[in-house]
Structure formats: C-alpha cells, structure tokens
Amino acid sequence: MTVAIRTILLASTIFAATPAFAQDASDDADDGDTIVVIGTALPPPPGSAAYSTAEIDRDRLLADASGRIENALRDVAGFQQFRRSDSRSANPSAQGVTLRGLGGNASSRALVLLDGVPVADPFFGYVPFNAVAPERLASARITRGGGTGAFGAGALTGTIELTSASPASLPALSGRALYGSGNASEVSLATAGPLGAGHVVLGGRYDRGDGFYTVPEATRGPNDVRARYANGSLSAQAVIPTGGGSELQARALVFRDDRTLRYAGADSRSEGLDTSLRFVARGRWQFEALVYAQARNFANVVVSSTRFVPVLDQRATPSTGLGGKIELRPPTGEAVTLRFGLDARQADGELRENAISAFSGSLTARRQAGGRNLTAGLFGEGDWTLGELTLTGGARIDRYTITRGFFAEANAAGVPTIDQAYPDRAGWEPSVRAGLRYQVAPALALRSAAYTGFRLPTLNELYRPFTVFPVVTRANPALSPERLRGIEAGFDWAPREDVGVSITGFANRLEDAIANVTIGPNLRERQNIDAIVAYGVEFDAHAALGAFDLSASYAFSGAKVSATGAAAAIDGRPPAQSPRHAASSTIGWNHDAARASLTGRYVGRQFEDDLGANPLPAAFTLDGFASVPLSRRAMLIARVENLFDAEVVTRRVGNDSEIGAPRIVWLGLTIDIR
C-alpha cells in the first residue's frame, strides 16, 4: 500500500474522531469577541512574516484587463511562466511557473496551491490556469523563496497560495458576460448561500474566442491561423461545521480547455477533475487534515511547419495525483507557535502518442512512456515571539521514489521496436529553513531568512521526448532531483496603514538544475547542470491617496548558469526564458462604486534557448479597466488589453517568431444579487 493511500486512510480515521477535537475546541468557541471565518485553512503562523510575501486582494484580481488569473499574478514582479503567452495561446504543457528568474524549462519550480491543494498537472508539472477563475477567489498570496517548509516538496522558488471566496465576499447570485475583440466571449455564474450552519458555493465559467494570429504579419504565411480557444470549468465548495470550532470542507473542480496553436489542425485538449476534503479544528489544539485526488488528461496534435500536415498525435496523456497532509498545532501560549505534521504526494502518468509520416499521412510508430513519482515527508516548525522579535525555524525529511519508468515503441504493424524499463530509484532529502523579523520601530521591520528545498523531476522530464521543429529534445530517465539553497534579507516600511514599501535582496543557488541542453545540431537533452545561481532584489510598494491608489513591483535577477562537462557551452550564460528585469505598476481610481485603473507591465530581454542564439526583446504593455454602476445590482465593465498594441515576442527560433496577445477590447455587464 502506498504512502499516499495510507495518508488518506489515516486522515479518514481522524475525520471519524472529530468529536474529540471538537471538545477541545469548545473552550474558545463561545468567545463573543472572536470572529471566525469558516471555509479557510489554519492561519499562517507569525514566522511567515520573515519571508518575502505579497498579497493580491479580490478587488485587484477582478480588475485585470484579461480576466485571467495568470496575468493578474504578474502584478507581483518576478512571477513568470515558461513562455510569455497566457492560457489562450500557449501550449498548455509549457505553462510552468517559477519566481526569481530561476526558469529554464516548462515545469513549475514554484508550488501553486488552491485551498491547500497542489494545482500542477501530475505528469507535466504545468499549471492549468484556465481552470482557475479569478471571480471565484478571495485572494492570492505569493511567497518568493522561503524553501519547502510545511508546504511539501516542490516549493523551490516560492509558493503561490490561492484561496477560494466564501459567502462573506460573494453575493447570493452573481453573473457576468463580456464580449471582446476576435469574437471573444466570457460568461460566468456563481451562487453562494447557507448550508445548515455552513455554506455552499457553486460556480461556472465559459470562455471562447476566435483568437489572434500568433505570427507577426510580416512573416505570416497562408497556413497560419488564429489561435482559437474554448474552455470551461465548474466548481463546488461546501463547508460543514462539525461542532466546537471545527469544520469539514469539501471541494470539487472540473474543467476542459481546447486550443488551436498556429496551424489548422494543431489542436490541444486538456481536462481534469480535482477533488479534496479538508478537516480544520481551530480550538486550543489546532488541527488540519487534507486529502485530495486529481484526474487529468492532455492531448495534442503536432503539425509540420513545412508541409502543414499532422506529424504527431499525442492522443492521450492520462495522469492521476493523490496526496494528503496532516498538521497539528498544540497549545503553547501566545509567545510560541509549534506545528508538526506529515504529507505525501504521488503522481502517476502515461504518454500515448502516434507518429505520422508527413509525406504519406500514414502511421509510422506508436509510443508509450510513463512512470510513478512519490514523495512523503515529516516536518516540524516553531515560531517564537520575544517582544518585537519573531524567530522561526523548521526542518523536514522527505523520502522519494521514482518507479515504474518505461518507454516503448512499436512500428505501424504493432511490432515492438523499443521496450525499455528503467530501474527504480529512491532517496532521502532533508531540508531546513529559518528566519527572523524584528520590529525596529512602529513603522519599520527588518527580516532575514535562509532555506533549502528540493523538487523531483516530473514524469514529463524523465520519460517524454518532444520536437519543436526543427529541434528535438530528448527525455532523460536518469535525472536527479533539483536542490535549492537560498538566503534573503529585507525590510518592510509602513508609515501609515495605507502606505507600505517592501524591499528584499536574495541569493539563491539551484543545484542539479534541470535544463534543455544543446548536445548537437537541432538536438537537445534534459540534463542536470551544475547549478543556476541567482542574485537579485525585489521591490513592492503601495499607497492610497484619497480617491487614488498606487502599487508598484520590480524584480531584478542576475541569474547565471554554472555548468561543466557536456553543458560547458552554457557556463556563465543566463538560463533560458529568464529575464533580468520585470516590473508592474497600477494606478487606480475609486469614487463611490465606480472604479478605473491603468496597469503597465514590463519584461526585460530574455533568451529562447540555452545558448542565447534566439533573443526575445524586452516588452512593455499597458492595460485598462473601468467599471461603472448602472443600478444597485448592475455594473458596466470595460477592459482593454495591450492598449498600444505592442508586439510581445513569445517564441523565436532563427527567423521564425511568435507573438502574444494584441490589443483586445472588452465590454460587458455584471449583475450581483445580495
């Protein structure tokens, strides 16, 4: 029996024993001065303030001009996907997330959580942002750096915590519909209300559009088509109090996303069903137990860029993710916070694809590849508040296994030509983190932290080769885990409640970094290189000045590769897809219920590849948003993306390049019934 399944059974036993925890919780449940918001996780411990953290509130999430969560997260400079495209025109498998310029491949080096549950695809490691509707969220909290800590493996460059909205911030019934350039439409509907002493929230969203050309007009050919897209999602969340300050939280999300990538017939489809169950007790003995399951699939057709016919049918990539977490916080008094626990995460997946002749259109080969990854860890962390000084420290130990890896290929007649089974591997990974925050004055706090962490290679990196013509990239079943060491220091200055500045300097070293390394003409292989070393600074500020509010974020990362042996040619170079500079700034205006804002975003020059042969120029875009009340329940919304129609290059190989979203204008209506 796997560790993940044992975790689920253990958590189920704990759920059955909830009255014991409820009795402990009742000591504080009747405090009339305490307001408890149900449906959330246990609050962050005091020591979390020692790390570089930024938060995007619900109002700002709803005011992004694109209406897409991945673009709203770009308010925090340093957040980046593998490519500059968003979830309308990117290949889904390239939507990995990282922070602090530590990019280089399409898998996520930051851990993205939705209500405590990892969001990344179990096989590829990408984040299905199209499934996460901003209108269903209460906030997004981004911790840059911070190490693995109590979040589990994978939080190398940081953690992005998305929290679902509850009836406290949602109307009883809300709907919105928008129409935009390129025959685009966005429709969503949500309802929130009581369920006994708890509540239930149901939501749905559907987006579609004829899209835009991802090739500049000067080089556009007759076979280039618009990047059409259609995606939809349904979600349900129920919270049931179980007595004495404890509650059971259930969540389900189902989604599907269809896209056309550049050429007619180059279609992709991703779909999934995620479910989770979380028990939270908020009494003297605080306790949280979470179990979750993911069922995902991805399909993709690759079209030849010279003959414009299908050459590869990735007909299915089914994968499953299972996991859970248990955390206990014993009563220790106001000055000390302790938490202990265990977590486990398992990923299973398999690629099924057919190779097709570009000349005859006939099947030439059938391929299958996949395996299983498992991590299971124990963690402990403590925070101590000594007057104006807060200290935090923790450690965890993880056991990982990489098993059942295989690659098989058969010819058109079904006769096996390759049948490889890779040896199982296992290991232990310790990690630690520590930090402090000192309130020097009422308006000024100093902080510093040091941490380590690790990430297993994804099933995609281990077993799936791919081709982006004319470049072939090999998989590598011998990849080792990535390991990070980091330090940071900074300060938070808040002279007033509505004014704040935060500056952080950091140094990170990502050892055994997985990168696509050029090993021959038009041939690359995923390899562990010696390290990626990043030194940089992050700046965040906000201010409210009467009817206006201002926010700004800037990140500099001087990341460079340290490499020897087969990868020596990239030694000293910046990692692929990693800009040195990124910035975002928003000016907003509010008057009664009317709102307007302008958001400028800048991303510096970066390189498509490891050798720096294909530079992507810097880009600046300006977005606008406005909402005007028509009545007590209705609101008119206007949005404009890329106001000046800037050309943002998202991919370049030689003279062939692709671009991101042009100017897109939206107009729509929202209706809220309280």
Side-chain angles (χ1 to χ4, degrees):
M1 183 179 294
T2 67
V3 174
I5 294 175
R6 287 199 294 269
T7 301
I8 293 172
L9 293 177
L10 178 58
S12 300
T13 302
I14 293 168
F15 292 150
T18 56
F21 286 95
Q23 183 63 41
D24 289 332
S26 64
D27 294 342
D28 298 331
D30 295 330
D31 185 351
D33 296 328
T34 301
I35 299 175
V36 178
V37 179
I38 65 173
T40 61
L42 292 177
S48 61
Y51 305 100
S52 175
T53 303
E55 187 162 336
I56 305 175
D57 62 23
R58 176 174 171 80
D59 287 342
R60 179 59 199 145
L61 292 174
L62 293 176
D64 184 81
S66 69
R68 314 192 82 78
I69 183 63
E70 67 271 26
N71 289 328
L73 291 173
R74 292 171 60 204
D75 276 7
V76 178
F79 167 88
Q80 68 175 99
Q81 298 181 87
F82 177 60
R83 297 197 188 279
R84 295 171 173 180
S85 305
D86 64 23
S87 57
R88 291 169 291 192
S89 61
N91 188 305
S93 63
Q95 290 186 240
V97 173
T98 191
L99 297 159
R100 290 189 165 170
L102 290 168
N105 63 29
S107 296
S108 294
R109 287 185 170 130
L111 181 62
V112 182
L113 303 172
L114 176 58
D115 296 330
V117 176
V119 178
D121 182 86
F123 186 91
F124 291 95
Y126 73 86
V127 177
F129 283 115
N130 58 288
V132 183
E135 62 269 20
R136 297 199 292 253
L137 297 179
S139 65
R141 177 183 171 90
I142 298 94
T143 301
R144 293 173 287 202
T148 299
F151 294 112
L156 281 184
T157 63
T159 306
I160 300 172
E161 300 168 84
L162 306 176
T163 301
S164 293
S166 70
S169 56
L170 291 172
L173 180 66
S174 62
R176 70 175 181 173
L178 294 98
Y179 184 79
S181 309
N183 195 29
S185 58
E186 175 190 317
V187 180
S188 64
L189 184 67
T191 181
L195 179 67
H199 67 249
V200 62
V201 179
L202 304 174
R205 173 165 164 162
Y206 178 74
D207 301 76
R208 69 155 307 280
D210 291 343
F212 53 88
Y213 288 104
T214 58
V215 182
E217 185 174 2
T219 58
R220 193 177 303 157
N223 295 286
D224 292 311
V225 300
R226 293 177 180 271
R228 293 184 292 272
Y229 66 94
N231 53 70
S233 63
L234 296 171
S235 66
Q237 180 190 36
V239 178
I240 305 171
T242 54
S246 63
E247 66 195 57
L248 194 62
Q249 305 168 7
R251 186 178 64 86
L253 171 68
V254 60
F255 65 91
R256 172 163 171 163
D257 174 43
D258 293 274
R259 308 181 199 178
T260 297
L261 306 176
R262 184 168 179 174
Y263 301 120
D267 301 326
S268 71
R269 183 187 74 251
S270 55
E271 54 195 0
L273 170 63
D274 294 3
T275 60
S276 65
L277 193 64
R278 180 165 65 182
F279 172 73
V280 178
R282 295 187 174 86
R284 292 180 61 250
W285 285 84
Q286 295 187 347
F287 179 78
E288 182 175 303
L290 168 73
V291 291
Y292 65 87
Q294 301 169 305
R296 304 283 181 86
N297 194 16
F298 173 76
N300 184 53
V301 176
V302 178
V303 170
S304 166
S305 60
T306 55
R307 298 185 62 84
F308 309 107
V309 295
V311 292
L312 184 66
D313 180 10
Q314 295 173 282
R315 52 191 177 87
T317 316
S319 62
T320 58
L322 294 174
K325 175 183 176 180
I326 295 174
E327 179 177 330
L328 176 67
R329 301 184 187 182
T332 53
E334 294 184 1
V336 178
T337 301
L338 298 177
R339 55 176 175 166
F340 308 95
L342 60 91
D343 56 64
R345 191 184 313 166
Q346 177 179 289
D348 289 89
E350 180 178 308
L351 166 71
R352 303 168 187 169
E353 66 180 23
N354 296 334
I356 303 168
S357 169
F359 298 94
S360 66
S362 59
L363 177 70
T364 60
R366 297 181 175 90
R367 303 187 189 105
Q368 290 181 266
R372 169 180 290 177
N373 285 356
L374 172 69
T375 59
L378 298 170
F379 65 87
E381 193 163 63
D383 299 343
W384 293 265
T385 301
L386 308 171
E388 304 301 326
L389 176 66
T390 299
L391 301 173
T392 181
R396 62 178 292 127
I397 181 72
D398 283 272
R399 174 69 171 176
Y400 73 85
T401 60
I402 300 175
T403 59
R404 303 187 183 184
F406 76 96
F407 181 87
E409 183 174 286
N411 62 22
V415 178
T417 56
I418 301 175
D419 188 5
Q420 295 179 323
Y422 304 112
D424 294 346
R425 294 184 283 150
W428 293 92
E429 288 289 341
S431 52
V432 297
R433 68 175 187 171
L436 64 87
R437 188 174 192 270
Y438 180 56
Q439 196 74 38
V440 178
L444 180 64
L446 306 180
R447 50 183 167 76
S448 65
Y451 38 81
T452 66
F454 82 101
R455 179 185 75 89
L456 279 190
T458 63
L459 301 175
N460 175 59
E461 292 169 316
L462 290 165
Y463 308 120
R464 174 185 168 260
F466 70 94
T467 300
V468 179
F469 187 83
V471 180
V472 175
T473 302
R474 296 175 177 172
N476 186 349
L479 290 171
S480 300
E482 297 181 327
R483 301 170 178 88
L484 178 124
R485 292 180 293 164
I487 58 172
E488 63 184 58
F491 68 86
D492 302 315
W493 180 60
R496 291 169 26 189
E497 183 178 353
D498 53 4
V499 175
V501 174
S502 177
I503 296 180
T504 303
F506 65 88
N508 286 176
R509 180 180 177 86
L510 181 63
E511 298 179 340
D512 293 323
I514 298 171
N516 298 332
V517 177
T518 299
I519 58 175
N522 293 327
L523 180 61
R524 297 175 187 160
E525 183 181 65
R526 298 187 181 102
Q527 293 184 2
N528 290 109
I529 59 176
D530 294 347
I532 298 175
V533 181
Y535 300 89
V537 63
E538 297 154 348
F539 168 86
D540 297 286
H542 69 273
L545 306 171
F548 292 91
D549 55 84
L550 307 170
S551 65
S553 183
Y554 167 76
F556 166 79
S557 176
K560 289 188 177 181
V561 170
S562 174
T564 56
I570 63 175
D571 183 59
R573 295 205 55 81
Q577 303 292 343
S578 299
R580 292 170 66 86
H581 303 275
S584 175
S585 182
T586 297
I587 178 170
W589 172 82
N590 298 270
H591 180 69
D592 293 333
R595 300 183 60 199
S597 63
L598 283 174
T599 298
R601 295 192 176 106
Y602 172 84
V603 59
R605 185 172 182 258
Q606 62 193 75
F607 294 96
E608 171 75 24
D609 61 310
D610 57 327
L611 294 175
N614 297 290
L616 308 181
F620 173 79
T621 58
L622 187 67
D623 298 339
F625 173 90
S627 60
V628 180
L630 301 177
S631 68
R632 186 170 59 88
R633 295 178 175 176
M635 185 86 68
L636 180 68
I637 293 179
R639 309 187 315 214
V640 57
E641 304 177 55
N642 196 357
L643 178 62
F644 297 127
D645 202 21
E647 186 174 277
V648 181
V649 179
T650 60
R651 175 182 172 270
R652 173 172 285 165
V653 178
N655 294 323
D656 183 58
S657 61
E658 296 180 7
I659 56 177
R663 180 170 50 242
I664 301 175
V665 180
W666 295 86
L667 189 64
L669 187 70
T670 67
I671 297 177
D672 294 340
I673 300 175
R674 300 286 173 177

